[in-house]
């Protein structure tokens, strides 16, 4: 009896692993294709991901479901990078580099942004995903900077996102990098005004 259950579990594990790989492959292809063109047919995405229509629709029953999952996945990637940067950089450097990553995400995913607008525009369509993961990541970076005294106290993650909102006015097809860098440098300069200075550590 126990042996039968063990055999069943071992048979299920490769199936789950295959299903997970299929899902990840679909998402990877969809990010590339929808970033290139918001109107890419789902059949093209399925074909390039080397999965059948049945497998595709078991994972993503609608275009909206696929777009929302991509959006959540990409936002989570940007958010997760905050902790990676904090582990390697001084807090203010980590914050500035994280803002660069957010700018790249905003500018290089223009087609994806169009796909999201299409998916959420109909009255019975899904709501646009919130920015909670980004706000939480920004808050961790801001608190780390505040604790070391390198930015003014009391800045919230909502303040930061509003302050860098000019990024979303830039044309992704233009030479946006220098303008984005200037904008983000201005934001960092503003955050440093009124900073109490680097606090003494126990070391």
């Amino acid at each position: 009896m126990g042996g039968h259950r063990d055999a069943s579990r071992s048979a299920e594990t490769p199936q789950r692993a295959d299903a997970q790989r299929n899902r990840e492959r679909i998402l990877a292809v969809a990010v590339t294709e929808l970033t290139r063109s918001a109107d890419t047919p789902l059949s093209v995405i399925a074909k390039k991901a080397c999965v059948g229509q049945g497998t595709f629709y078991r994972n993503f029953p609608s275009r909206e479901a696929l777009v929302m999952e991509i959006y959540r996945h990409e936002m989570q990637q940007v958010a997760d990078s905050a902790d990676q940067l904090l582990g390697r950089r001084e807090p203010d450097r980590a914050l500035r580099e994280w803002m660069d990553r957010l700018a790249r995400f905003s500018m290089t995913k223009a087609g994806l942004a169009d796909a999201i607008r299409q998916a959420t525009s109909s009255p019975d369509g899904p709501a646009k995903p919130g920015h909670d993961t980004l706000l939480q990541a920004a808050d961790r970076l801001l608190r780390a900077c505040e604790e070391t005294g390198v930015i003014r106290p009391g800045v919230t993650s909502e303040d930061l996102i509003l302050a860098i909102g000019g990024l979303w006015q830039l044309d992704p097809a233009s030479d946006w990098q220098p303008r984005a860098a200037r904008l983000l440098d201005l934001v960092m300069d503003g955050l440093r005004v009124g900073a109490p200075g680097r606090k003494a550590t126990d070391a």
Side-chain angles (χ1 to χ4, degrees), residues 85-104:
L85 288 166
L86 280 171
R88 301 196 304 263
R89 302 277 191 270
E90 290 295 312
D92 53 341
R93 286 282 306 281
L95 175 59
R96 181 63 183 80
E97 288 190 34
W98 185 78
M99 288 195 289
D100 279 336
R101 293 191 183 199
L102 184 57
R104 283 197 300 274

Side-chain angles (χ1 to χ4, degrees), residues 114-129:
D114 288 340
I116 292 162
R117 278 192 289 273
Q118 289 177 14
T120 58
S121 60
S122 63
D124 56 347
K128 186 174 180 178

Side-chain angles (χ1 to χ4, degrees), residues 5 7 12 14 17 39 48 52 60 74 77 84 105 127-128 136 149 159 172:
R5 280 198 301 270
E12 286 170 7
D39 299 316
K48 290 193 174 184
F60 303 105
E74 293 293 294
Q77 295 284 96
Q84 296 162 11
F105 169 74
K128 186 174 180 178
Q136 290 162 9
D159 294 336

Side-chain angles (χ1 to χ4, degrees), residues 106-166:
S106 303
M107 294 298 105
T108 60
K109 304 298 181 185
L112 182 56
D114 288 340
I116 292 162
R117 278 192 289 273
Q118 289 177 14
T120 58
S121 60
S122 63
D124 56 347
K128 186 174 180 178
H131 292 75
D132 288 351
T133 54
L134 284 185
L135 289 173
Q136 290 162 9
D139 189 66
R140 291 194 295 275
L141 288 157
L142 289 169
R143 299 293 71 81
C145 288
E146 194 174 308
E147 285 167 12
T148 52
V150 294
I151 65 168
R152 64 198 302 164
V155 179
T156 69
S157 53
E158 289 88 350
D159 294 336
L160 178 66
I161 298 301
L162 283 172
I164 62 178

